[in-house]
Amino acid sequence: DVKVTQSSRYLVKRTGEKVFLECVQDMDHENMFWYRQDPGLGLRLIYFSYDVKMKEKGDIPEGYSVSREKKERFSLILESASTNQTSMYLCASSEDGSYGYTFGSGTRLTVV
Amino acid sequence: GDSVTQMEGPVTLSEEAFLTINCTYTATGYPSLFWYVQYPGEGLQLLLKATKADDKGSNKGFEATYRKETTSFHLEKGSVQVSDSAVYFCALVPSGGGNKLTFGTGTQLKVEL
């Protein structure tokens, strides 16, 4: 089975800190995605990547950046964390969208 | 643009009751349609999918039929269990390929004894 591993299940960070969320997949998928999940808003796409060093903005990229230096790893960066970035962050990968995505277990980030 | 609309929850049922969670979509052509499930504290898991009109996706007793005429993909299960308590998300990928999933807002299901 494809595995998508997110490095932390829970994180607590202070306002203004630089935060790195890491995601690794083990099935050589081309495509990787970062979503945030908030009650009542569902899942919203932050950034995605079709290939190494390639990235595209999703629906809510403001305040975030990403890095994909290796095919298996896709990092989400909060340059200066703010309280409104408190959320559940979900990473996913896919070979082809029509096959569906495989998700990681999520990172619940709290910014205080 | 593409969108997915799900019925609002929470939906509360007794064990062994029949489940329907409604999902309709807006998209051009023939998108691929999915249901994902999220158990408490976990990420999303693919439950079932359908890629063309009149296809029926099924898994773990859940079913959904791709209805092009009503642009719907309703999730059904004949007899729910307490272990089915979770949040269910309907999603689509546009026709012609592409990799971006568009999700509905999710429907929480609670099954009680």
Side-chain angles (χ1 to χ4, degrees), chain A residues 95-107:
Chain A
E95 183 58 33
D96 183 291
S98 62
Y99 301 152
Y101 291 2
T102 300
F103 280 85
S105 298
T107 296

Side-chain angles (χ1 to χ4, degrees), chain B residues 20-24 35 63-65 70 72-76:
Chain B
T20 300
I21 299 178
N22 291 337
C23 171
T24 58
W35 278 101
E63 293 183 339
T65 300
T70 54
S72 65
F73 193 54
H74 304 320
L75 183 68
E76 297 181 335

Side-chain angles (χ1 to χ4, degrees), chain B residues 63-109:
Chain B
E63 293 183 339
T65 300
Y66 189 143
R67 300 288 188 200
K68 176 64 174 174
E69 64 274 16
T70 54
T71 62
S72 65
F73 193 54
H74 304 320
L75 183 68
E76 297 181 335
K77 187 176 186 183
S79 176
V80 293
Q81 306 299 313
V82 171
S83 58
D84 293 325
S85 298
V87 180
Y88 292 82
F89 291 89
C90 187
L92 69 81
V93 165
S95 59
N99 291 289
K100 286 176 58 178
L101 272 175
T102 297
F103 287 91
T105 54
T107 302
Q108 185 175 13
L109 171 65

Side-chain angles (χ1 to χ4, degrees), chain B residues 32-35 46-67 72-77:
Chain B
S32 295
L33 302 174
F34 304 85
W35 278 101
L46 179 63
L47 181 60
L48 54 83
K49 68 177 183 179
T51 57
K52 59 183 188 292
D54 300 323
D55 266 2
K56 178 184 286 188
S58 62
N59 186 25
K60 300 181 181 180
F62 291 90
E63 293 183 339
T65 300
Y66 189 143
R67 300 288 188 200
S72 65
F73 193 54
H74 304 320
L75 183 68
E76 297 181 335
K77 187 176 186 183

